[in-house]
Amino acid sequence: MKQAMLLLIAMSAALCSLAQNVGIGTTDPKEKLDVNGNTNINGNIKINGTTGQPGQVLMTNSAGTTQWGSFQSPGSDQYKNFVCFANGSGSWNVPDGVTQLLIEVWGGGGGGSAYGGGGGGGYARSQFSVTAGTSITYTVGLGGSRGSGTTNGQSGGTSTVNVSGVQSSAYGGDGAVTDATFHILFQTPDGGSYNGGQNTIGANGEAGYQNNISYVQKSTGVFLQTLRGGKGGDGANTVNTGGHGGFANINSQGNFEGLQSDPSAGRAPGGGGGGGGTSSVGANGGSGRIIIWY
């Protein structure tokens, strides 16, 4: 009996000395639990007592610690859902299970004038870490109003998104001037710029274009003046959003001949309005836009 007790004590001491690492399928465990073979778990895996949310995977953060997170890589479907805001102001709540947002913001396009097109709106793209239920507030910038007579085209409005106190902004393009002193030396309306936090990239909108005057020969000794209104600048990170300028052929009596067209408004997101070619009126700029990917 005494020998059995001594053997049990010796075995317990040996197990205690080895209890720091436990091996299954191995006699030399390198970790607290070292399994050599397949593992079957009937239940959830928890990290620090927490199970993952839908769509999350186990990953290692920058500190080398394992945690639940959203998988992100080029070509992944991380941001397969989106919501789009084309006007106004309001708020949007982060859905359950979402931890990352990618937000695109365009400012409004500037209005065109009699002498040229308005500037395109700026563009910002920002990434945010969020928690479910967070309220995101936003404002979509309007397109600038057209200039007519002696009034300039108005600048486009600024579009903003605010996520937990961090704001991402895309500014509107400048409106085109209508001052006759700029008829020949046109003051080019700048495209809008952008601003945001350290996780923001962006681009400036395209500048508006001035009107162009040229001459074509209709017949022997007869020439027509061709007036092409300046194109509105494209919104940043978009193509073909700037409005077309007006067009007309004018004879020596000052009358229109042949085809003619009025300037067209800028298209969303952020296109500048076209410049007047057939009258003293430009066209309105296109409104901005906000897209939240999640």
Side-chain angles (χ1 to χ4, degrees):
M1 181 69 178
K2 181 182 293 185
Q3 290 178 341
M5 288 294 296
L6 290 174
L7 180 60
L8 181 60
I9 292 172
M11 290 177 63
S12 298
L15 288 173
C16 288
S17 65
L18 295 174
Q20 292 183 356
N21 293 332
V22 176
I24 299 177
T26 177
T27 58
D28 185 22
K30 303 299 184 184
E31 302 293 342
K32 291 292 185 181
L33 177 61
D34 195 337
V35 179
N36 181 19
N38 297 332
T39 302
N40 179 48
I41 299 175
N42 293 318
N44 292 326
I45 297 177
K46 293 185 177 182
I47 299 296
N48 296 322
T50 302
T51 57
Q53 297 296 318
Q56 290 187 318
V57 296
L58 287 175
M59 58 174 53
T60 303
N61 61 23
S62 59
T65 302
T66 302
Q67 66 177 23
W68 292 105
S70 299
F71 180 74
Q72 299 176 59
S73 66
S76 74
D77 63 351
Q78 163 67 18
Y79 302 114
K80 60 184 178 181
N81 301 307
F82 70 91
V83 58
C84 178
F85 302 105
N87 54 66
S89 300
S91 62
W92 178 82
N93 294 331
V94 177
D96 291 340
V98 174
T99 61
Q100 296 284 329
L101 297 178
L102 184 68
I103 302 180
E104 296 183 283
V105 183
W106 286 267
S113 76
Y115 300 123
Y123 168 80
R125 183 172 69 182
S126 305
Q127 190 174 36
F128 296 93
S129 296
V130 294
T131 57
T134 298
S135 180
I136 311 299
T137 58
Y138 67 87
T139 297
V140 179
L142 297 175
S145 300
R146 67 185 185 179
S148 61
T150 59
T151 61
N152 297 335
Q154 299 299 301
S155 296
T158 300
S159 295
T160 60
V161 171
N162 191 296
V163 182
S164 301
V166 179
Q167 184 166 287
S168 178
S169 302
Y171 302 111
D174 287 347
V177 299
T178 193
D179 189 333
T181 59
F182 294 110
H183 190 180
I184 303 300
L185 300 176
F186 180 67
Q187 186 180 27
T188 302
D190 290 333
S193 59
Y194 68 95
N195 189 30
Q198 62 179 356
N199 293 325
T200 298
I201 61 174
N204 294 343
E206 183 183 29
Y209 291 76
Q210 71 181 70
N211 290 358
N212 178 268
I213 300 175
S214 60
Y215 295 88
V216 295
Q217 186 172 6
K218 179 182 178 182
S219 59
T220 303
V222 178
F223 291 84
L224 298 178
Q225 183 186 71
T226 298
L227 175 61
R228 292 179 174 88
K231 173 185 172 297
D234 290 339
N237 201 38
T238 66
V239 293
N240 300 324
T241 53
H244 294 292
F247 172 84
N249 286 322
I250 304 173
N251 60 29
S252 58
Q253 288 75 43
N255 299 320
F256 296 131
E257 284 201 15
L259 296 176
Q260 65 183 76
S261 64
D262 293 326
S264 64
R267 291 172 288 278
T278 60
S279 66
S280 61
V281 179
N284 296 328
S287 65
R289 185 162 293 174
I290 294 172
I291 302 178
I292 300 177
W293 298 87
Y294 63 95

